[in-house]
Amino acid sequence: MSTKNTEIDLTDSFELIPVSIHKTAKDGSTEAANIIATLIREKQKAGQACVLGLATGSTPKNLYAELVRKHREENLSFKNVITFNLDEYYPMAPDSLASYHRFMHEQLFDHVDIKPENIHIPDGTVSKDNIKAYCESYESGVQEAGGIDLQILGIGTNGHIGFNEPGSGINSKTRLVALDNSTRIANAYDFPNMSEVPRLALTMGIGAIMKSRSVILMAWGQHKAPIIRKAVEGHSTEQVPASLLQQHDNCLFLLDEQAAQELTRYKSPWLTGECEWSPRMIRKAVTTMALDLGKPILMLTDNDYNDHGLSDLLVQFGSAYDINLMVFNGIKNTITGWPGGKPGVEIPGHPERAKPEHKRVIIFSPHPDDDIISMGGTFIRLHEQGHDVHVGYQTSGNIAVSDEFVTRFIDFVVGFDEIFGIDKSHATQLMQEARKFLESKKSSDVDASDIRAIKGLIRRCEAKATCRYVGIKEENIHFMNLPFYETGKIEKAPPGEEDVQITMDLIRKIKPHQIYAAGDLADPHGTHKVCLEIVFEALARLKKEPFMKDCWLWLYRGAWQEFEVYEIEMAVPMSPDQVRQKRNGIFIHQSQKDAVPFQGSDAREFWQRAEERNARTAELFDKLGLPKYAALEAFARYYY
Ligand code: F6R
């Protein structure tokens, strides 16, 4: 079998590894699953074993789900499959919530007909004294099985493959390694807090990976884009372990569009050959050049365009002056203090319609605080400008409340009965049970449903308090409690019919003129992404209903990323006072302050992330020569 994609044309390309780019992670995962299924079947026909090297992490989840589907619906058998996993934390008990043993069984092995004796995962319980011998035997096990036919890899944002951190040699062996701090931070999502993330891991070495007959590395999401560029277009260096794959002669990188977006063919397609000059592409080229040069747009010269490979634009539009003006005015028109349209004035180029003057609006907030964190300034403006603003809180957000925080509330209820000398109420008994559960809770335990309910209630009260702060009426607050979220674990269930129905019901009830949704594809937990998919599905199904022709969908970005300047279609400014007002609204979410469980790689608090991000957008506009504001909230329209 070959992962070599003969259709990939590397002419004019800066790419040193074959790359296959897909619209979504799901599409890319389907391609990987098809390659694997073909290989398994070919080997079956030849009466041979198929040896797969497997990875864990968020990246291969869709791949494993698709393989399970193929097993169930297309009779793909795993009887001839032998697997070797790349790595495991050390020390790590196999039944621990965060272990890669558990991950592999839950995601794949428990659902297919692989023989248990054919599964190999590094053992996180071997004693330190035996590790060297254990690693040697793991590696010789691979050779005895005939060597790896196909190795599946993910990539760390520092370029690691397996747990081969920067500095790992091309011939490195299977061994115990110290995890990079950046890896520990990135993987913190699987652990209640940073201190529980292991410092060590067992990993197959790069030498073993290079010996595989073929390799597929998958990467999804914008946060992987910078390292993908380094691995694919940079020097082959131990500092970026994945770049060593440039020296493998049968390796394919499967990417989604977001992970590919820093590749030259996306970032500056005009440098790699013919380029279609849509208004958006022109805006992208001109803003990128202006920011690179540190010049406001209106100061760019014909020479700048020539030096940046943009002479095509001069040929098409005449002079830098004309292009500059066109791009500058386009961006200027995105700035508005009237996100619901300016009443009575239909301004040409304004991002929103003036009519109706009083719009019905739904803000979909994946967690109970995304509304205020990500678009608090706009939320407040919409309400103050007389629109009928509803908020749909899509999930309960219960896993992000710490045990310490919930205990404080439990103490309150129990103390209440004590202070007022009330006989033990039913609530107190319930709370005492809950406290007992928390006291004996182990890190591998999932919260009992009562605890989840109390944690959810805490977040609900915070969301209500924020709405009260903004001035939203009680009946405009909708807690949707989408069922896909309610697993009690980081790992969520796939979205289902009920999630879509709940969303459709709310849209049908409000008949909004504007919907705001988190268009966030880089949420590491995937909750934002799933919430968006549910909104898309609901809109696709409702599209033919008459009220929908007036319903515009605006996307905002959550706490993890921001739109690029050229992507922004509405930019809502905030004064320093409005920034403070938004900050106070975020502060209401006390359960999310300081130590939030499963917070992941960004140690800043949510209000800091929001402020820095909105200030940065304002700063970029300023650098481009547009008016200077304290902060800007950014939106892009989505045509469904
Ligand atoms: C896991 C592994 C790691 C991950 C990498 C990306 O078995 O080998 O190299 O592939 O850390 O992790 P995710 O997929 O969670 O972004």
Side-chain angles (χ1 to χ4, degrees):
M1 102 84 226
S2 169
T3 55
K4 281 235 189 277
N5 187 336
T6 45
E7 284 166 28
I8 294 170
D9 177 11
L10 293 181
T11 351
D12 282 336
S13 169
F14 290 57
E15 294 159 19
L16 303 167
I17 295 179
V19 162
S20 169
I21 301 169
H22 294 261
K23 195 144 187 54
T24 65
K26 221 167 172 186
D27 297 339
S29 305
T30 305
E31 180 175 341
N34 289 341
I35 293 173
I36 293 176
T38 308
L39 179 65
I40 294 176
R41 288 196 172 111
E42 274 172 16
K43 292 277 185 178
Q44 260 158 18
K45 262 198 209 135
Q48 292 169 354
C50 175
V51 185
L52 300 178
L54 298 179
T56 54
S58 60
T59 305
K61 282 185 187 168
N62 280 323
L63 163 65
Y64 296 148
E66 176 60 10
L67 287 175
V68 171
R69 194 199 61 76
K70 281 181 185 296
H71 170 69
R72 288 193 178 140
E73 295 173 18
E74 296 171 8
N75 292 326
L76 177 66
S77 170
F78 286 73
K79 287 220 166 89
N80 67 326
V81 174
I82 302 176
T83 61
F84 287 89
N85 261 83
L86 278 167
D87 40 24
E88 177 60 286
Y89 293 111
Y90 185 86
M92 179 57 69
D95 63 345
S96 183
L97 266 187
S99 89
Y100 286 166
H101 271 78
R102 187 172 179 139
F103 176 98
M104 286 309 300
H105 282 89
E106 285 181 358
Q107 302 287 324
L108 181 65
F109 298 147
D110 288 352
H111 315 288
V112 296
D113 59 349
I114 188 165
K115 296 181 188 154
E117 64 273 24
N118 284 352
I119 297 172
H120 305 87
I121 306 175
D123 180 356
T125 66
V126 263
S127 69
K128 270 233 164 109
D129 297 344
N130 290 332
I131 281 189
K132 200 161 181 292
Y134 175 78
C135 289
E136 278 165 15
S137 76
Y138 196 80
E139 217 163 274
S140 52
V142 174
Q143 292 321 310
E144 279 156 28
I148 290 175
D149 292 306
L150 172 58
Q151 175 67 53
I152 297 295
L153 297 175
I155 180 170
T157 49
N158 62 0
H160 73 212
I161 46 178
F163 277 138
N164 294 285
E165 303 287 21
S168 302
I170 194 161
N171 295 317
S172 53
K173 294 223 160 18
T174 301
R175 65 204 187 286
L176 185 65
V177 292
L179 294 176
D180 233 37
N181 209 36
S182 66
T183 301
R184 291 186 66 235
I185 293 172
N187 291 10
Y189 289 110
D190 292 329
F191 298 86
N193 57 61
M194 249 323 263
S195 63
E196 292 190 37
V197 185
R199 290 173 188 280
L200 303 174
L202 291 166
T203 185
M204 264 165 66
I206 300 185
I209 294 171
M210 295 300 284
K211 275 191 213 143
S212 309
R213 284 184 273 283
S214 56
V215 178
I216 291 181
L217 182 147
M218 303 185 295
W220 324 124
Q222 198 182 19
H223 61 304
K224 297 284 170 78
I227 196 66
I228 285 296
R229 181 183 174 121
K230 282 191 188 160
V232 174
E233 297 189 357
H235 297 298
S236 182
T237 158
E238 289 173 357
Q239 289 317 309
V240 181
S243 69
L244 298 173
L245 294 165
Q246 292 172 12
Q247 300 176 47
H248 195 288
D249 66 0
N250 195 357
C251 173
L252 174 68
F253 274 29
L254 282 177
L255 310 176
D256 66 0
E257 285 178 355
Q258 273 118 21
Q261 74 185 25
E262 290 289 323
L263 294 178
T264 308
R265 68 159 111 171
Y266 269 83
K267 193 154 175 87
S268 331
W270 47 92
L271 298 178
T272 61
E274 289 283 298
C275 160
E276 201 170 311
W277 286 111
S278 63
R280 187 182 163 100
M281 186 64 83
I282 298 172
R283 200 179 278 188
K284 178 175 180 172
V286 174
T287 51
T288 309
M289 166 170 58
L291 292 171
D292 275 0
L293 287 170
K295 277 187 173 183
I297 294 171
L298 295 176
M299 301 285 283
L300 295 168
T301 63
D302 284 10
N303 264 350
D304 294 329
Y305 278 79
N306 281 325
D307 289 351
H308 278 74
L310 293 172
S311 51
D312 272 11
L313 280 180
L314 296 177
V315 172
Q316 208 168 320
F317 294 96
S319 72
Y321 178 80
D322 296 311
I323 312 168
N324 292 349
L325 217 53
M326 177 174 76
V327 172
F328 180 85
N329 284 331
I331 300 179
K332 195 176 74 184
N333 285 339
T334 66
I335 305 174
T336 178
W338 299 93
K342 189 158 187 184
V345 202
E346 204 65 75
I347 310 166
H350 191 277
E352 252 299 348
R353 304 146 290 177
K355 283 191 184 139
E357 284 191 9
H358 300 291
K359 293 190 172 61
R360 286 184 300 277
V361 177
I362 301 180
I363 299 174
F364 280 117
S365 179
H367 300 99
D369 53 359
D370 291 305
D371 51 349
I372 191 80
I373 291 174
S374 299
M375 53 170 290
T378 308
F379 182 11
I380 295 169
R381 265 184 201 260
L382 284 166
H383 170 70
E384 286 177 352
Q385 290 171 358
H387 302 289
D388 182 23
V389 183
H390 293 252
V391 190
Y393 294 105
Q394 292 168 287
T395 71
S396 68
N398 54 18
I399 65 158
V401 178
S402 71
D403 292 347
E404 292 69 37
F405 200 85
V406 77
T407 304
R408 192 189 297 179
F409 281 79
I410 292 175
D411 286 348
F412 179 87
V413 177
V414 175
F416 186 86
D417 282 6
E418 282 165 15
I419 289 180
F420 292 100
I422 302 169
D423 284 345
K424 247 190 211 163
S425 69
H426 183 57
T428 300
Q429 284 166 21
L430 224 146
M431 292 294 168
Q432 280 170 334
E433 294 283 310
R435 193 155 55 186
K436 236 188 258 157
F437 173 87
L438 289 174
E439 276 162 10
S440 59
K441 183 178 158 186
K442 292 200 292 291
S443 67
S444 55
D445 289 341
V446 167
D447 278 338
S449 63
D450 284 351
I451 306 276
R452 294 215 299 273
I454 305 169
K455 288 184 172 179
L457 180 61
I458 290 173
R459 296 211 68 184
R460 216 181 238 239
C461 295
E462 290 172 345
K464 268 193 185 175
T466 302
C467 285
R468 229 174 279 134
Y469 172 76
V470 174
I472 301 297
K473 292 180 288 191
E474 181 99 19
E475 62 264 33
N476 283 23
I477 309 171
H478 310 271
F479 292 104
M480 299 164 72
N481 266 331
L482 295 181
F484 85 89
Y485 184 87
E486 297 305 315
T487 58
K489 296 191 275 183
I490 289 285
E491 188 70 40
K492 306 298 184 297
E497 187 54 30
E498 212 188 328
D499 299 303
V500 178
Q501 284 303 332
I502 294 171
T503 309
M504 284 169 70
D505 287 350
L506 185 61
I507 299 173
R508 248 198 220 112
K509 187 166 141 202
I510 312 296
K511 300 193 175 33
H513 302 98
Q514 285 190 326
I515 289 179
Y516 290 85
D520 204 333
L521 302 170
D523 165 15
H525 297 196
T527 298
H528 282 219
K529 201 166 157 195
V530 178
C531 285
L532 184 64
E533 278 165 15
I534 293 168
V535 171
F536 282 163
E537 179 61 27
L539 291 177
R541 293 202 206 169
L542 289 170
K543 201 171 167 179
K544 295 223 169 70
E545 302 211 10
F547 72 90
M548 290 296 288
K549 68 175 192 332
D550 294 325
C551 176
W552 286 17
L553 173 60
W554 288 100
L555 301 180
Y556 62 88
R557 288 267 157 101
W560 286 274
Q561 61 181 151
E562 185 51 288
F563 293 112
E564 301 286 335
V565 171
Y566 72 89
E567 295 175 306
I568 297 173
E569 288 171 281
M570 178 158 73
V572 181
M574 284 188 283
S575 67
D577 280 346
Q578 286 164 330
V579 170
R580 251 190 309 278
Q581 192 184 11
K582 171 171 169 174
R583 184 191 307 168
N584 289 335
I586 299 175
F587 280 172
I588 292 172
H589 293 267
Q590 287 183 348
S591 71
Q592 301 304 293
K593 274 194 62 57
D594 307 324
V596 181
F598 307 109
Q599 189 183 9
S601 56
D602 193 335
R604 289 173 304 166
E605 289 201 20
F606 287 116
W607 68 272
Q608 288 170 314
R609 298 191 208 187
E611 266 180 34
E612 282 169 25
R613 191 179 69 170
N614 296 157
R616 185 172 171 272
T617 308
E619 204 181 292
L620 289 175
F621 272 55
D622 175 38
K623 283 190 177 148
L624 292 169
L626 290 138
K628 184 170 173 60
Y629 293 98
L632 283 170
E633 286 180 343
F635 303 87
R637 191 165 163 210
Y638 187 88
Y639 297 84
Y640 55 89

